[in-house]
Amino acid sequence: MSKPEDSYTTLQKDDVDLSDCMDAFDAFIAVAEKYDTIPTPRDLTVARQKLLRQRLEDVGGMDGWRAVLAQVQQSSWLTGQSGKPWVISIDWLCKQSNFIKVREGNYNDRDNAGTNRTKRKRTSQNCKRYEHKLTSSCTPLM
């Protein structure tokens, strides 16, 4: 049975090594070189290694990382093509809150009607989490 596109396997901390971080760093550089607006990072610092390791764990490795980079390339906002004076950097992408927003499609381009062109597929797991959140935070009215 195939997995939905938006599901990722979470890796354990020991499953991601330095070579994985280097591959992720190089993959970001390849994207940056496609767009003259995205700054190309020069140094894979210890802090960046730590953040890359965490993000790789979040998405299940390099396949998940490549999927996120594909989402970045489909966003005119993130690639600096929107006419606004802002563009993504590797440090911005690797912050957990920003990374989650990219994965969830918050920066996907919108059509003329203002709707997200790349709709996120709803999975039963996402719906169950949402339902739990709703029911656990509500108190019954008497």
Side-chain angles (χ1 to χ4, degrees):
M1 187 161 125
S2 65
K3 293 181 184 179
E5 289 178 18
D6 65 343
S7 70
Y8 296 95
T9 305
T10 302
L11 295 177
Q12 300 301 317
K13 196 170 201 163
D14 297 335
D15 292 339
V16 178
D17 62 14
L18 179 59
S19 67
D20 294 324
C21 293
M22 291 170 62
D23 290 345
F25 188 74
D26 290 342
F28 184 90
I29 289 173
V31 170
E33 289 175 346
K34 285 183 180 180
Y35 301 90
D36 60 346
T37 53
I38 299 176
T40 303
R42 294 185 306 177
D43 301 316
L44 180 56
T45 62
V46 173
R48 283 179 173 165
Q49 288 175 34
K50 180 180 176 183
L51 289 171
L52 280 168
R53 180 173 282 119
Q54 291 168 347
R55 300 301 73 87
L56 286 167
E57 289 169 5
D58 290 345
V59 294
M62 279 303 297
D63 288 339
W65 177 255
R66 285 186 196 98
V68 170
L69 291 179
Q71 281 186 269
V72 166
Q73 294 178 75
Q74 294 173 3
S75 168
S76 59
W77 172 259
L78 296 176
T79 57
Q81 308 298 312
S82 68
K84 306 286 184 190
W86 186 89
V87 69
I88 195 171
S89 70
I90 193 164
D91 298 314
W92 183 91
L93 178 62
C94 286
K95 288 182 183 176
Q96 184 178 26
S97 60
N98 297 336
F99 194 74
I100 290 169
K101 291 176 198 173
V102 171
R103 283 180 59 194
E104 291 177 345
N106 290 10
Y107 300 101
N108 292 354
D109 288 346
R110 306 208 179 277
D111 63 16
N112 290 338
T115 58
N116 197 329
R117 278 194 267 171
T118 312
K119 295 258 184 195
R120 188 174 74 147
K121 291 183 180 177
R122 292 237 182 244
T123 63
S124 59
Q125 185 179 10
N126 288 343
C127 292
K128 285 178 186 172
R129 271 189 260 147
Y130 179 72
E131 288 170 4
H132 173 71
K133 190 175 183 179
L134 283 177
T135 57
S136 64
S137 63
C138 297
T139 55
L141 295 174
M142 296 286 179

